[in-house]
Amino acid sequence: MRKKIVAANWKMNLTLQEALTLCSEVSNMLNDEQTHQAEVLIAPPFVYLQSLKNLLGDSKIILSAQNCSEHAKGAYTGEISAAMLASVGAKYVIIGHSERRLYYLETHRQLEEKINRALENDLKVIFCCGETSEIRNKNEHIVFVQNQLAGSLFRLNQEAIQNIVIAYEPVWAIGTGKTATSQQAQEMHREIRNYLAQKYGDAIAKNLTILYGGSVNASNAAELFACPDVDGALVGGASLKSREFVEIVKAMK
Ligand code: PGA
């Protein structure tokens, strides 16, 4: 059985006090059964990781970063390394979010290096992929996503790929309130799994977790989670409200 994950991507939101409040509310509302059904991840801004780690104590909630440097260390002012993230208790890092690709011009090659740094530091990676509406309208979305996967992941060996979680996030669905239909999500998730199977074999592809992201909320989560190849969600806006996020986690049962 592959791992189910519901991950909160807080992006660049919240003050420290707001972050502590939201995290403790989520933690208090979830019971053991729910954190057993799905791994629950929170990806706060870097500067809150340590404080949230202290707050969470032995809670089952797992911390993730939203990005890391492609360099191991050194003179890269303003950057955060994978080793730093591991040292403050992060277990995952999101790499290749469409906002990073779009606003910070992150390339396939750069993302590949970020993934290498993350894996060297025993961090698991949530690797984001997804097409714009222009690409979907031209019916090139499947090839586009395949190229994103091949471009940054396919030099990983059979062992390393097992530390990657894929997040399919169509750009047109992120923050727009316009979620993909469950058919659109399932179609792409199946294509992603088949493509990974061609490269790494069926057994590995069957065990890879593929998340959907893009306007997931408490009302549409259950339908998305019912798709056979949708193994959870990467949640932006709706993860900033404790009750809404917890309802999404509960939809996983
Ligand atoms: P959204 O963001 O849920 O606000 O659409 C998802 C994401 O960008 O990960």
Side-chain angles (χ1 to χ4, degrees), residues 9 11 97 99 169 173-176 213-216 234-238:
N9 176 11
K11 308 192 182 183
H97 192 281
E99 289 151 14
E169 300 203 302
I174 296 179
T176 57
S215 298
V216 175
L234 180 55
V235 187

Side-chain angles (χ1 to χ4, degrees), residues 19 43 45 53 56 69 88 103 113-115 128 139 178 191 200 218 220 235 243 245 247:
K53 181 75 193 160
L56 284 168
S69 172
V88 295
Y103 304 137
E113 285 304 319
K114 289 180 184 230
I115 292 167
C128 301
N139 205 26
K178 194 176 159 212
E191 292 290 346
Y200 292 102
N220 59 28
V235 187
R243 211 164 282 282
F245 182 65
E247 286 307 312

Side-chain angles (χ1 to χ4, degrees), residues 131 135 139-147 187-188 191:
E131 80 289 352
I135 292 167
N139 205 26
E140 289 169 0
H141 47 294
I142 292 168
V143 173
F144 182 84
V145 167
Q146 288 175 338
N147 286 337
E187 181 201 31
M188 183 62 90
E191 292 290 346

Side-chain angles (χ1 to χ4, degrees), residues 3 5 16 20 24 30 59 65 67 69 72 78 94 99-100 107 120 125 130 165 177 241-242 245 253:
K3 189 160 52 182
I5 297 176
L16 173 60
L20 291 168
S24 58
L30 289 173
S59 157
N67 179 33
S69 172
I94 298 170
E99 289 151 14
R100 303 283 328 165
T107 62
E120 285 161 11
V125 169
V165 170
K241 291 172 245 149
S242 53
F245 182 65
K253 68 161 178 293

Side-chain angles (χ1 to χ4, degrees), residues 17 66 80 87 123 137 156 171 193 195-196 227 234 246 248-249:
Q17 197 48 55
Q66 299 175 14
I80 305 285
S87 76
L123 294 172
N137 291 340
L156 295 176
V171 178
R193 199 177 305 285
Y195 193 59
L196 290 161
C227 300
L234 180 55
V246 166
I248 296 170
V249 175

